Amino acid sequence: MNATEQRNTDVERLNIFLHRERSAFEAYQICIERVDDPQICRALTRLRATHQGRVRELDRRIRALGGTPCAHSRPWKRLAILIERNSSRGPDGRVVVDALRDLSARVLRGYRESLSDLSPETHRFIAHEIIPDRQREHEAVVSLGSGVVAIRPLAKGHSAEAFGRRAG
């Protein structure tokens, strides 16, 4: 692979990561708006900020490579479905944290699985800056356990199906 092809591959992979981080930021926002426990809300707000930081880092890296950062996101549909199902059954929001944990693990795994496709410089950036931060965030989500005690339903126009249809 020549240098231009490798740069294009790096930009493509970084944009995938950027899209996931933007989507995660939105997913945390959705949860924050629906969780009634102030302590959990504070924890989710801190976790949301880690995604915002990674969005900035990935955006900078893409621009440094001469690429154009993607500007879109799509909240995690699975999370929306879980919120919609569980809010209608009463105050059992533990599933929200469980979903965040599972989705966090999936995104972390995606970073690790993509390392071999990256140039040495981008590999180092992801392996030494992004993944350790992502791992700490994942551990924080896991530490929340099932402490969420109540969630509110999705607002009108924000059904689970709508999450899947938004531009992604």
Side-chain angles (χ1 to χ4, degrees), residues 58-69:
L58 290 164
D59 187 278
R60 267 183 259 175
R61 178 61 62 154
I62 291 166
R63 289 179 195 282
L65 291 170
T68 302

Side-chain angles (χ1 to χ4, degrees), residues 32-81:
I32 290 164
E33 292 170 359
R34 283 159 188 82
V35 171
D36 290 328
D37 183 316
Q39 184 176 354
I40 298 294
C41 280
R42 283 191 297 277
L44 294 176
T45 299
R46 285 190 301 274
L47 292 169
R48 181 189 61 190
T50 67
H51 290 285
Q52 191 171 28
R54 284 190 294 274
V55 164
R56 283 191 300 270
E57 293 288 324
L58 290 164
D59 187 278
R60 267 183 259 175
R61 178 61 62 154
I62 291 166
R63 289 179 195 282
L65 291 170
T68 302
C70 73
H72 60 275
S73 65
R74 179 178 57 218
W76 291 323
K77 185 176 180 181
R78 179 172 177 231
L79 181 64
I81 290 168

Side-chain angles (χ1 to χ4, degrees), residues 3 18 23 25 34 57 59 70 88 118 120 141 155 166 168:
L18 179 59
S23 297
F25 179 87
R34 283 159 188 82
E57 293 288 324
D59 187 278
C70 73
S88 64
L118 302 172
V141 172
R166 289 174 55 172

Side-chain angles (χ1 to χ4, degrees), residues 3 11 58 67 137:
V11 168
L58 290 164
E137 184 245 333

Side-chain angles (χ1 to χ4, degrees), residues 101-132:
R101 183 195 62 231
D102 293 346
L103 293 165
S104 175
R106 188 179 321 154
V107 172
L108 182 58
R109 189 170 44 255
Y111 276 117
R112 289 180 174 143
E113 290 172 354
S114 294
L115 285 172
S116 63
D117 298 334
L118 302 172
S119 68
E121 183 181 329
T122 301
H123 180 283
R124 276 189 300 280
F125 167 68
I126 296 297
H128 297 290
E129 295 181 41
I130 299 294
I131 289 177

Side-chain angles (χ1 to χ4, degrees), residues 89-105:
R89 284 193 274 157
D92 184 9
R94 291 183 300 253
V95 73
V96 172
V97 172
D98 292 343
L100 287 172
R101 183 195 62 231
D102 293 346
L103 293 165
S104 175

